[in-house]
Amino acid sequence: MNITSEQNLRLGVNIKKKLRDFSLDIEFETGRGCLGILGPSGCGKSMTLKSVAGIITPDKGRIALSFSRGEAAGGRILYDSALKINERPQLRRVGYLFQNYALFPNMTVEQNIASGLGAAGCRARGTAGKGKFLSSEARIQKVKEMISRFRLEGLEKRYPAQLSGGQQQRVALARILAYEPEVLLLDEPFSAMDAYLREGLRLELSRVIRDYRGVTVLVTHDRDEAYQLCDTLLLMDKGRALAGGRTREIFQNPVTYQAARLTGCKNISRIQRLGPRRVRALDWGGLELVTKEDVGDEITAVGIRAHDFEPLSQEEAAGLEGKQGANLIEVTNPSISEMPFEWYITLENGLWWKKEKDIHTHEVMGLAPKWLRVEPWAILLLKGEME
């Protein structure tokens, strides 16, 4: 199966596997672009990737690649328990980027990249197991192409221990993409990185994903990585999918309590319904709030993201008092913590506000306003029981 820009390539996964603490039961379908699987450590994210790659075998289910091009259609089954199909990892044409990159320490950069053209990748374009083997000249040319593509000129003779973290990542990606896999799996690619390296590496990886013509799946527990790199998102916990869809839409409307937590919402409260669009937040001192949307019987909680508060002076608050949807919150006895580029301000009722600052500002006097307000549209309506 060759990958072309006109081809609609899709990965379908529907698998089950009994694990020690829970059962993995996951189903999704994704196409070109990057699907992010976001969830806490130990929720089954990496196990899902390893199942797709063929490193571990599910108890039952199906994993398949399909494509359509014009009126033509086809595909390959990577795993099907009912049909007793289980392709070896070397034949799946699936590239797997491990957390530690898994470079061969005794090989140079060019040797590591060339190793990707052995075993699984030494055949010319076409379905794995068919086609012609690449000649020595073609393999040398391919390594040169990848050296140039990933800006590794001058590093060809260096060993992994002589490379920075970013250089190691580029070598690992070059090795994987040298044999043109149909699926690229990224397993927590920044987990071993120092914080100061991550942003630059995310931008580099974003470029690779954008130019890649196959299917990309990235697993992470970092919501910023998911938001920055992934077109679509699958939220996962304890082996199951909680929500799925376009990444920005899930962050804007997470729908459930668990999804709101996974996407970084710090303020969540149980509610008492007072009217079609009015609630009492039981965990915020009984604060009454007006919402933009109707609060159905299925809504059990509300959430407010820490950036979505508007500071008001005493005079500004007085001008809004009594108006529908004002959602005024008096600031009493705030607790203030300083971070390099943000203030964390916790109100007496438990609400948490995040306010941007610069590195040169340290004075807290006058920082907390007399009042905050939150727009009705910024209040998340959430389903599900709070833990």
Side-chain angles (χ1 to χ4, degrees):
M1 189 193 305
N2 291 333
I3 304 173
T4 70
S5 58
E6 297 81 17
Q7 179 172 293
N8 181 22
L9 181 67
R10 300 196 67 79
L11 170 69
V13 176
N14 184 358
I15 55 172
K16 303 178 190 296
K17 186 174 180 63
K18 184 74 172 77
L19 305 177
R20 185 178 63 182
D21 298 322
F22 56 84
S23 291
L24 178 66
D25 186 353
I26 195 79
E27 180 179 1
F28 63 87
E29 183 176 306
T30 186
R32 188 184 177 197
C34 184
L35 168 70
I37 302 180
L38 175 65
S41 298
C43 74
K45 305 186 303 295
S46 293
M47 193 65 67
T48 301
L49 288 198
K50 290 174 181 176
S51 297
V52 175
I55 298 171
I56 67 110
T57 302
D59 296 332
K60 61 187 298 187
R62 178 183 172 91
I63 303 170
L65 279 165
S66 61
F67 76 90
S68 60
R69 185 169 56 246
E71 297 182 358
R76 286 193 299 121
I77 299 174
L78 307 184
Y79 168 79
D80 192 308
S81 57
L83 299 175
K84 300 189 183 304
I85 296 174
N86 190 16
E87 276 199 343
R88 288 183 294 147
Q90 297 87 343
L91 300 179
R92 293 196 178 198
R93 293 185 64 80
V94 172
Y96 195 117
L97 183 68
F98 291 89
Q99 293 180 14
N100 61 0
Y101 308 138
L103 297 175
F104 296 110
N106 59 338
M107 290 186 180
T108 64
V109 166
E110 59 186 3
Q111 289 170 338
N112 263 286
I113 296 173
S115 71
L117 296 170
C122 62
R123 298 181 184 276
R125 297 180 185 179
T127 302
K130 299 179 181 179
K132 299 179 180 180
F133 282 93
L134 291 177
S135 66
S136 297
E137 293 79 6
R139 294 176 67 180
I140 291 171
Q141 184 57 40
K142 189 66 176 180
V143 171
K144 289 182 178 179
E145 176 188 327
M146 302 310 288
I147 291 284
S148 175
R149 177 179 171 184
F150 286 90
R151 306 188 314 281
L152 295 166
E153 295 92 339
L155 304 176
E156 293 90 339
K157 303 301 181 183
R158 292 192 185 182
Y159 292 90
Q162 299 172 308
L163 303 175
S164 69
Q167 291 166 342
Q168 289 181 27
Q169 184 186 81
R170 295 206 301 273
V171 174
L173 285 167
R175 181 176 64 182
I176 291 168
L177 296 179
Y179 68 90
E180 300 182 5
E182 293 158 348
V183 180
L184 177 61
L185 306 178
L186 306 170
D187 190 353
E188 300 273 9
F190 308 107
S191 62
M193 292 289 163
D194 292 331
Y196 75 94
L197 289 174
R198 289 177 188 165
E199 184 59 32
L201 294 179
R202 283 181 194 164
L203 293 174
E204 288 193 14
L205 186 57
S206 177
R207 175 183 59 83
V208 172
I209 292 171
R210 184 180 63 249
D211 294 340
Y212 178 56
R213 295 178 297 174
V215 174
T216 303
V217 183
L218 177 147
V219 303
T220 181
H221 64 272
D222 187 310
R223 67 178 186 276
D224 293 339
E225 287 177 14
Y227 193 89
Q228 185 175 16
L229 297 172
C230 304
D231 308 292
T232 54
L233 196 60
L234 189 71
L235 301 180
M236 187 173 177
D237 194 19
K238 296 179 181 177
R240 296 177 181 270
L242 301 176
R246 303 294 297 178
T247 300
R248 291 185 178 181
E249 292 174 5
I250 287 180
F251 273 79
Q252 290 169 5
N253 184 25
V255 178
T256 68
Y257 157 77
Q258 297 96 327
R261 279 285 186 228
L262 285 174
T263 56
C265 184
K266 298 292 192 299
N267 298 308
I268 299 179
S269 172
R270 297 166 298 141
I271 63 164
Q272 176 187 357
R273 188 172 179 271
L274 301 177
R277 298 189 180 184
R278 179 177 288 274
V279 298
R280 176 178 288 117
L282 301 178
D283 298 311
W284 300 333
L287 177 67
E288 293 189 15
L289 296 166
V290 173
T291 64
K292 180 181 179 182
E293 305 293 337
D294 287 349
V295 183
D297 294 338
E298 75 283 2
I299 302 301
T300 59
V302 292
I304 304 174
R305 297 200 181 274
H307 284 104
D308 281 342
F309 294 100
E310 176 189 353
L312 299 176
S313 67
Q314 184 71 48
E315 293 74 19
E316 290 171 325
L320 291 171
E321 191 171 3
K323 290 187 178 180
Q324 179 73 5
N327 290 339
L328 296 175
I329 306 164
E330 188 173 8
V331 178
T332 56
N333 300 320
S335 175
I336 301 174
S337 297
E338 181 182 1
M339 303 298 285
F341 302 104
E342 292 170 319
W343 295 106
Y344 293 170
I345 303 174
T346 305
L347 308 190
E348 190 174 44
N349 63 6
L351 280 168
W352 189 73
W353 175 38
K354 187 183 289 186
K355 178 180 172 61
E356 292 184 358
K357 66 181 282 290
D358 61 59
I359 194 67
H360 307 290
T361 301
H362 311 288
E363 180 58 57
V364 300
M365 186 68 67
L367 175 66
K370 296 294 184 181
W371 294 84
L372 294 175
R373 76 174 299 247
V374 59
E375 293 278 4
W377 58 260
I379 299 174
L380 306 174
L381 303 182
L382 306 174
K383 305 174 185 178
E385 293 302 318
M386 292 180 61
E387 299 174 357

